[in-house]
Amino acid sequence: MKSNGKTAQLTAEQRTENKGAALATLRKSGRVPGVVYGPSIDSISIHVDEKDINRLARTGRSELFEIQLKDGKKVPVLIKDMQKKNDQLIHVDFIQISKNKSIQVTIPIEFQGTPKGTKKAGVLQTQETELIVEGLPDTLPASIEVDISGMDVGDKLSASDLKLPEGVILVSSEDMLIASVTVLRAADTDTGEDTAVSEEPAEDSTEE
């Protein structure tokens, strides 16, 4: 894998074998089977270097890069799907995209800092960790960084509060709750007070 300016490049080799034994041999040799497809190309079975694809996958699925095939053809792609088994990547799907056409992707939210409300018995609760956005491939960030250090007890963070890069549009609902800082109610047992239970029998109201 190498960087070509802003766009990373991943070298792929085409494969003709799709049987289990052949795929297992590829994986043992440090290769990950995959497929690349799109509007202007037929589905192509490929395999890529395991270390390279794992490095790319950590940057986020919205990261645009190019797959270079053995015939020299370069295909701009995004990671569409990844399959794992026992934490090992065993298959990856790439989808061809157009650099001049907006696409929708799901990107992770990265929380930065510690809410000041946690110093007042507040607890940070995160309701969402991903966001759906739309934009040209070159404008899409690998993640959305959110500074939550200023959040106090009672504060809430919605999707509409997040600052997106220029040219990137929010697709998720603006009212979607991302995070909040709340105070959890203490259980009665935490007060150290025991609840008395009366063992006296009820009065007999039977008339003689």
Side-chain angles (χ1 to χ4, degrees):
M1 185 181 71
K2 61 181 179 179
S3 176
N4 179 22
K6 184 179 179 181
T7 304
Q9 292 190 10
L10 179 69
T11 301
E13 295 182 22
Q14 292 183 237
R15 58 185 172 88
T16 56
E17 293 289 340
N18 294 309
K19 296 182 179 180
L23 298 181
T25 300
L26 275 176
R27 295 183 183 113
K28 287 181 180 179
S29 65
R31 308 291 293 182
V32 177
V35 62
V36 56
Y37 56 92
S40 63
I41 60 172
D42 294 328
S43 179
I44 304 173
S45 296
I46 60 171
H47 58 91
V48 296
D49 183 81
E50 182 179 16
K51 292 181 180 179
D52 286 347
I53 187 57
N54 278 328
R55 192 176 301 116
L56 276 173
R58 283 195 294 270
T59 66
R61 295 193 184 186
S62 63
E63 193 79 6
L64 171 68
F65 59 98
E66 293 180 334
I67 283 186
Q68 181 170 343
L69 300 176
K70 214 169 186 180
D71 60 3
K73 184 177 181 180
K74 296 179 181 178
V75 183
V77 297
L78 293 175
I79 296 175
K80 179 64 175 178
D81 188 40
M82 295 185 295
Q83 298 177 27
K84 289 187 176 183
K85 184 177 181 180
N86 298 326
D87 293 328
Q88 181 182 6
L89 186 61
I90 61 171
H91 193 276
V92 59
D93 289 0
F94 303 97
I95 183 168
Q96 178 199 27
I97 53 89
S98 170
K99 293 183 178 181
N100 300 318
K101 184 178 179 180
S102 293
I103 56 173
Q104 288 188 11
V105 294
T106 300
I107 56 178
I109 300 171
E110 293 188 3
F111 298 101
Q112 306 288 329
T114 302
K116 64 181 182 181
T118 58
K119 298 179 180 179
K120 306 175 184 178
V123 176
L124 173 66
Q125 295 184 318
T126 55
Q127 280 74 25
E128 298 289 342
T129 58
E130 293 182 329
L131 202 65
I132 303 176
V133 299
E134 180 178 330
L136 294 174
D138 283 338
T139 67
L140 295 172
S143 63
I144 297 292
E145 295 185 356
V146 182
D147 184 4
I148 57 175
S149 59
M151 293 183 68
D152 208 341
V153 173
D155 286 348
K156 295 181 179 180
L157 185 70
S158 299
S160 59
D161 298 320
L162 304 185
K163 185 177 181 181
L164 301 178
E166 185 177 354
V168 178
I169 302 172
L170 177 67
V171 176
S172 297
S173 171
E174 293 185 354
D175 298 328
M176 185 175 70
L177 183 62
I178 302 297
S180 59
V181 178
T182 59
V183 176
L184 300 181
R185 295 180 59 186
D188 291 340
T189 54
D190 292 339
T191 64
E193 297 179 1
D194 295 329
T195 303
V197 179
S198 175
E199 296 183 356
E200 295 182 4
E203 294 183 0
D204 188 356
S205 59
T206 305
E207 294 183 2
E208 294 183 358

